[in-house]
Amino acid sequence: MYTQAMDTMGKDDGDKLRALRSTDEMVLQQRFDARIDAGEFIEAKDWMPEHYRKTLVRQISQHAHSEIVGMLPEGNWISRAPTLKRKAILLAKVQDEGGHGLYLYAAAETLGTSRDQMVEALHAGKAKYSSIFNYPTLTWADVGAIGWLVDGAAIMNQVPICRCSYAPYARAMIRICREESFHQRQGFESLLTMMTKGTEAQKAMVQDAVNRWWWPSVMMFGPPDDQSPNSAQSMRWGIKRVSNDELRQKFIDAAVEQAKVLGVTLPDPELKWNEQRQAHDHGPIDWAEFWRVIGGDGPCNRERLAARVEAAREGAWVREAALAHARKQRQTEQAA
Amino acid sequence: MSESNQTNEAADATEWPLWEVFVRSKAGLDHKHCGSLHATDAKMAIQMARDVYTRRQEGSSVWVVRSDQIVASDPGDNEMYFDPAEDKVYRHLTFYELPKAVDHM
């Protein structure tokens, strides 16, 4: 998902491997585990294992980076939206994503890493963001397809994180989910308008967008459960609530019905209802492509990162000037 | 959202300070903590709080306060601070049983 790169790292043995541990720390650890088992929330100032803290900083910052980088593919169409109404909607959506990035950076900052440090890690190529934003938005229908499929997948993943054991993250997610509810609907409605009132060429454009976004959206949930080395620990800690495959299945089952309403086909010839499982079977996922895109070699990886680095560089003087102005104002006030 | 990051900004003066945002959803209700943001001064913090936290008419008033100005109780003291109230049931109205005729009291 937005934090799928969490699954791409080698297995973390974390705290378990540390040989020396004080008795104090073991008591704290037991108390922490008991609180997690009881379904309690952990707040910023509560004691927590170092590995829990590290995992959260990594996950929440990846999530934040995804929101910010995610503004780029759609931002590409703001100046070319077909009507004023669609332009206002798209602006509102991209602005929401900027806000979501901010909520998430703030949640991660409660763990003791500053936003600037996290942004630097992104710009240095040390931090990841979701693979989905490394695909290009070639036509206007891509904006609708992102709303329907990408935001649809994101919502499915994010709703369970509203119950994450780390309270500042959970609170940010509640706010995000509330705001994001219109994102998927507007995308679907935009595609539906083209499919019901559009020309043949516009309908073909929608189908083409769906064809291109389907598999990357399915991959958003991350590698299969048996190849997701850190999932068990995240589940144990209540950071992750539902497994990759379970969420993916839920997404596919919902999308199949929505595609029928829309009048488009999904580009998977093996997609069919399995009466026994009461779920849809699907064809093999091209994991080689997933690993390639995560590894930095997708269609737009370099372009996306370069855009972020450039934006930070170009805005640096504004940030510095604002700080200098505030300092000067304070001095003037003190002198008066 | 960000109760513990006061230390970050003092160390490095190139980072914008952190502010906590409180929003009153409508007249007559309390201001409620809703999140945080970075801003160089109070004026900018108020402006950004409005842009970030009230885009859907969530508020009619906004407070901002520097995060490093907030004094908080220590979670390590929680038992000592908050548990003594647990056995004082006589502080609640349900402790007192009254005849039906006057039970609305």
Side-chain angles (χ1 to χ4, degrees):
Chain A
M1 184 45 51
Y2 280 11
T3 57
Q4 60 195 187
M6 294 297 292
D7 293 318
T8 66
M9 290 172 292
K11 180 150 173 56
D12 261 326
D13 282 316
D15 293 7
K16 271 178 254 160
L17 284 183
R18 274 171 46 197
L20 288 173
R21 294 181 70 183
S22 66
T23 0
D24 275 359
E25 205 177 318
M26 281 173 69
V27 171
L28 287 167
Q29 171 89 49
Q30 279 166 5
R31 207 176 291 165
F32 176 86
D33 289 343
R35 288 184 66 190
I36 294 281
D37 291 341
E40 282 181 37
F41 285 108
I42 308 300
E43 291 287 351
K45 285 187 169 176
D46 295 344
W47 185 90
M48 61 187 85
E50 234 2 82
H51 190 212
Y52 177 83
R53 182 185 301 274
K54 232 173 58 191
T55 303
L56 278 166
V57 169
R58 216 150 50 182
Q59 173 162 341
I60 304 171
S61 64
Q62 275 182 23
H63 199 157
H65 299 328
S66 296
E67 297 283 354
I68 300 299
V69 176
M71 296 166 81
L72 296 170
E74 289 176 286
N76 186 34
W77 282 91
I78 290 174
S79 62
R80 290 175 287 165
T83 65
L84 187 58
K85 174 183 132 183
R86 294 292 170 193
K87 183 173 181 160
I89 293 170
L90 187 55
L91 267 172
K93 181 174 188 291
V94 173
Q95 192 187 18
D96 273 352
E97 276 145 18
H100 297 172
L102 182 141
Y103 306 156
L104 289 162
Y105 281 127
E109 282 188 291
T110 63
L111 294 157
T113 307
S114 79
R115 185 172 71 182
D116 286 15
Q117 287 170 327
M118 291 182 263
V119 170
E120 269 162 37
L122 173 71
H123 293 177
K126 282 185 272 183
K128 300 276 187 204
Y129 55 86
S130 176
S131 62
I132 195 76
F133 301 119
N134 290 316
Y135 290 88
T137 41
L138 304 179
T139 69
W140 168 251
D142 287 25
V143 173
I146 288 179
W148 173 37
L149 296 173
V150 176
D151 290 308
I155 291 166
M156 208 146 266
N157 177 63
Q158 289 178 156
V159 167
I161 311 179
C162 294
R163 293 180 288 119
C164 171
S165 63
Y166 187 57
Y169 190 24
R171 285 194 288 267
M173 288 317 306
I174 289 169
R175 184 173 291 278
I176 288 171
C177 286
R178 198 166 49 215
E179 295 187 353
E180 202 146 87
S181 54
F182 99 85
H183 292 187
Q184 189 186 18
R185 288 175 74 95
Q186 66 81 32
F188 191 86
E189 192 239 22
S190 164
L191 296 181
L192 192 62
T193 304
M194 286 186 272
M195 289 305 288
T196 52
K197 296 180 191 157
T199 63
E200 285 311 308
Q202 286 168 328
K203 289 179 194 173
M205 180 172 78
V206 171
Q207 182 63 60
D208 171 64
V210 171
N211 290 348
R212 283 181 290 106
W213 288 96
W214 174 250
W215 287 110
S217 301
V218 169
M219 290 177 200
M220 279 177 73
F221 296 91
D225 293 345
D226 55 11
Q227 291 167 42
S228 182
N230 299 315
S231 277
Q233 179 66 81
S234 286
M235 289 270 201
R236 167 71 187 84
W237 274 335
I239 296 172
K240 193 174 189 148
R241 294 291 189 188
V242 186
S243 86
N244 295 355
D245 287 334
E246 217 175 307
L247 286 168
R248 183 168 16 246
Q249 184 69 58
K250 219 173 133 194
F251 169 73
I252 290 172
D253 290 338
V256 167
E257 295 309 311
Q258 292 158 355
K260 282 181 198 157
V261 175
L262 207 49
V264 296
T265 57
L266 297 172
D268 179 358
E270 293 177 48
L271 197 61
K272 62 171 189 295
W273 179 249
N274 182 328
E275 187 60 35
Q276 209 172 12
R277 286 202 309 124
Q278 289 292 301
H280 289 86
D281 291 336
H282 61 83
I285 298 169
D286 183 1
W287 291 114
E289 174 180 327
F290 171 77
W291 296 114
R292 202 163 56 237
V293 177
I294 282 279
D297 215 9
C300 300
N301 293 55
R302 286 168 200 82
E303 185 187 329
R304 298 288 185 243
L305 195 58
R308 290 312 313 153
V309 171
E310 178 69 1
R313 202 180 57 81
E314 296 237 304
W317 73 270
V318 180
R319 293 193 298 278
E320 284 160 23
L323 258 184
H325 175 73
R327 225 174 273 138
K328 204 168 148 188
Q329 291 295 114
R330 260 199 311 276
Q331 281 164 2
T332 318
E333 275 166 33
Q334 277 160 8
Chain B
M1 259 182 227
S2 30
E3 295 91 312
S4 76
N5 29 14
Q6 294 94 323
T7 46
N8 294 331
E9 44 151 327
D12 188 351
T14 66
E15 293 192 8
W16 286 9
L18 195 69
W19 301 71
E20 299 304 319
V21 180
F22 300 80
V23 170
R24 184 203 295 283
S25 57
K26 61 179 184 187
L29 297 181
D30 297 332
H31 283 79
K32 202 174 154 215
H33 182 244
C34 71
S36 35
L37 50 80
H38 290 270
T40 54
D41 59 25
K43 194 176 159 196
M44 187 196 277
I46 286 278
Q47 178 67 45
M48 285 184 154
R50 174 249 186 211
D51 290 347
V52 176
Y53 290 105
T54 65
R55 287 201 304 283
R56 291 179 172 80
Q57 295 182 294
E58 292 96 334
S60 61
S61 163
V62 177
W63 285 352
V64 294
V65 59
R66 282 276 296 250
S67 306
D68 56 8
Q69 297 294 309
I70 290 181
V71 182
S73 64
D74 180 349
D77 292 338
N78 273 8
E79 285 174 28
M80 183 178 76
Y81 264 55
F82 303 115
D83 288 358
E86 206 174 44
D87 57 4
K88 296 177 177 57
V89 283
Y90 47 83
R91 286 178 175 163
H92 298 273
L93 74 149
T94 47
F95 182 70
Y96 304 93
E97 279 179 31
L98 296 182
K100 240 189 173 63
V102 289
D103 205 23
H104 61 276
M105 190 187 287

